[in-house]
Amino acid sequence: MRTFPDVDAFTAAVGEHLGHSEWLTITQEQVQQFADATGDHQWIHLDTERAAAGPFGGTIAHGYLTLSLIPRFGKDIYRVDNLSMGINYGLNKVRFPQPVKVGSKVRAGAELVEVTDVPGGKQAVVRWTIEIDGEAKPACVAETVARLIR
């Protein structure tokens, strides 16, 4: 994990790749829990028999489940110290180029794209690429926007 002593040191890393997370195996239990939490019970996520004969050859994770793993992956990649808080401000762009089959391993890479001044601190844009082990295309590419309050 890369540790930045403060937001100024983090700002100096604009344009750099910050690292990769550990690999995480996506389980059917995770997919079921996400479906229950969101109410998205589509068969491609939950019906293992029907999905086996479907377009992906098995059940797949929800795109939003994949996206929601970014905070988990982020803890493996970097930390900014000496902040009073970090606030999720939103997303700029999100794409899901490749579905994540249940049982696949995924990990994230992060690149610091931009840091700008905002009242009380900085606003950071990080580009996340969530890779699938053994696949050429990523599962998700997303730009997150966070407020880092001094």
Side-chain angles (χ1 to χ4, degrees):
M1 180 200 325
R2 190 163 173 191
T3 302
F4 297 91
D6 55 39
V7 72
D8 293 327
F10 187 60
T11 300
V14 167
E16 295 181 21
H17 192 271
L18 302 175
H20 287 94
S21 70
E22 298 294 322
W23 290 100
L24 173 71
T25 302
I26 301 300
T27 67
Q28 189 63 52
E29 181 181 7
Q30 286 171 308
V31 173
Q32 180 68 55
Q33 289 172 346
F34 192 84
D36 291 343
T38 62
D40 183 351
H41 292 95
Q42 190 176 172
W43 65 270
I44 61 173
H45 304 302
L46 304 177
D47 187 335
T48 55
E49 288 182 27
R50 185 174 176 193
F56 306 113
T59 52
I60 60 169
H62 302 75
Y64 287 137
L65 168 57
T66 305
L67 179 67
S68 75
L69 295 172
I70 287 175
R72 180 178 184 163
F73 290 141
K75 291 177 183 183
D76 288 348
I77 298 173
Y78 74 92
R79 181 179 82 221
V80 181
D81 290 339
N82 295 307
L83 297 175
S84 65
M85 69 179 128
I87 301 168
N88 177 4
Y89 196 69
L91 300 159
N92 284 340
K93 182 178 178 180
V94 179
R95 296 291 183 267
F96 304 106
Q98 178 79 21
V100 177
K101 295 177 186 176
V102 169
S104 296
K105 288 190 221 176
V106 295
R107 74 171 182 177
E111 177 189 348
L112 183 56
V113 174
E114 176 182 80
V115 178
T116 55
D117 292 322
V118 294
K122 301 281 188 178
Q123 179 169 290
V125 176
V126 177
R127 181 177 301 116
W128 298 88
T129 302
I130 301 178
E131 305 168 350
I132 308 166
D133 191 25
E135 296 288 343
K137 289 184 183 178
C140 178
V141 179
E143 285 187 359
T144 60
V145 182
R147 294 276 172 104
L148 307 174
I149 309 303
R150 296 181 191 266

